[in-house]
Amino acid sequence: MSEEPVRLTVGATEVAEYVLDPALDARHGPRPYLHPVRTLGGTVVTDALPADHVWHLGASLAVQDVDGSNLWGGRTYVRDVGYTWRDDHGVIAHTGEVERSPGWYAHDLQWRDRAGGVLLTERRWLAASVVAPDAWRLDVESVLVAPDDREIRLGSPATNGRPGGAGYGGFFWRAAADGEPAVFTADAAGEETVNGSAAPWLALTGVGSGGGAYTLVFAGLGRDDRWFVRTGMYPGVCVAFAFDHPAVVPAGGSRHGRYQVWVADGTLDRDAVATLVATVP
């Protein structure tokens, strides 16, 4: 039986739906994901199952190469071959609820290979809080733990030989945008400039399908993480775990991440974004 989606609210406003166990084709990388996510004014700022990349699922954690298993969805990038359909798709499975309240949810997960073998276990926390009259913040915290008897390698198309800064995989947000959005950091702007950077925060401004302007501000890079950004081909931002070299979770060890996304109505400039990021909920 499918779990009912979790609904995150701030005050009386529902701002996000968290789908725990979607019934999806294995090739789409089944995993929990947030969609729709909305501004306080009601503009939807995520997209799920888009025609160009059906395996893009709102906001989620997903990695294309987890010790040889594809937990992202779609074709796998193979060195010296390119993108190839392979029978290597695993699943990130919800295994149990830990705690919930209107603006808070915690649960346990397993990252599994195609045969059901457990690659990683995870505890994940999600929280929603108001930070301004027209903005709220999403916090996603994750602890990934490797088995006691083996290390787990996290890779990307870039680490497997694809050129062009395609180091995606990690905490990924597929945005909803009518037209090409703008993207900037405190000292740079544009996809080509910010992709692969390690700026403390990154902002994306766009217009939703209903015409509402919005701003998303992302933070939470780990020491070796980088921003993966697309605005031309599609609108997406990722805290990339393996942008240009693999990341390793040691045997019996863990990887801890905490990611923040400020979701605001309207189009904010650099100064307004800096002020928003400095706001403590």
Side-chain angles (χ1 to χ4, degrees):
M1 180 181 295
S2 296
E3 294 271 357
E4 287 294 318
V6 175
R7 303 181 191 280
L8 293 178
T9 61
V10 290
T13 303
E14 182 180 311
V15 292
E17 186 172 304
Y18 187 44
V19 182
L20 292 173
D21 59 344
L24 295 175
D25 188 306
R27 294 172 297 177
H28 299 339
R31 58 194 183 270
Y33 65 92
L34 288 153
H35 178 75
V37 178
R38 299 180 177 88
T39 67
L40 292 176
T43 297
V44 174
V45 295
T46 50
D47 197 1
L49 302 167
D52 54 43
H53 294 77
V54 183
W55 46 91
H56 286 183
L57 303 177
S60 69
L61 271 73
V63 176
Q64 199 195 66
D65 181 359
V66 182
D67 232 35
S69 292
N70 183 335
L71 298 184
W72 173 272
R75 296 175 297 164
T76 298
Y77 193 87
V78 179
R79 187 179 298 276
D80 300 325
V81 176
Y83 281 108
T84 305
W85 283 110
R86 303 179 69 185
D87 190 15
D88 63 353
H89 294 89
V91 61
I92 301 175
H94 161 77
T95 58
E97 181 176 304
V98 175
E99 184 180 359
R100 79 160 71 197
S101 69
W104 169 269
Y105 186 73
H107 67 137
D108 291 327
L109 308 95
Q110 290 181 344
W111 294 41
R112 301 171 180 163
D113 63 23
R114 62 179 294 273
V118 178
L119 299 164
L120 295 163
T121 58
E122 180 188 2
R123 178 157 291 182
R124 186 181 301 177
W125 299 261
L126 299 93
S129 54
V130 174
V131 294
D134 55 359
W136 66 280
R137 192 178 83 182
L138 172 71
D139 285 85
V140 178
E141 188 168 0
S142 167
V143 178
L144 295 168
V145 180
D148 289 337
D149 60 350
R150 62 185 286 204
E151 68 177 25
I152 298 296
R153 176 188 178 277
L154 307 178
S156 67
T159 65
N160 288 325
R162 182 185 167 186
Y168 57 80
F171 175 62
F172 177 68
W173 190 291
R174 173 63 191 251
D178 185 2
E180 184 172 341
V183 65
F184 58 90
T185 64
D187 56 8
E191 175 186 321
E192 292 187 3
T193 305
V194 302
N195 186 52
S197 69
W201 58 260
L202 182 145
L204 182 145
T205 62
V207 176
S209 59
Y214 68 83
T215 300
L216 302 173
V217 186
F218 301 87
L221 292 184
R223 182 181 62 184
D224 296 322
D225 297 340
R226 296 293 183 269
W227 295 115
F228 169 81
V229 180
R230 289 290 185 263
T231 56
M233 182 183 300
Y234 60 82
V237 174
C238 184
V239 175
F241 297 166
F243 187 83
D244 51 17
H245 61 274
V248 175
V249 185
S254 63
R255 176 187 175 91
H256 183 197
R258 185 178 181 188
Y259 319 109
Q260 300 90 38
V261 186
W262 288 260
V263 181
D265 285 293
T267 302
L268 305 186
D269 61 17
R270 278 195 175 94
D271 290 342
V273 168
T275 299
L276 185 66
V277 170
T279 303
V280 178

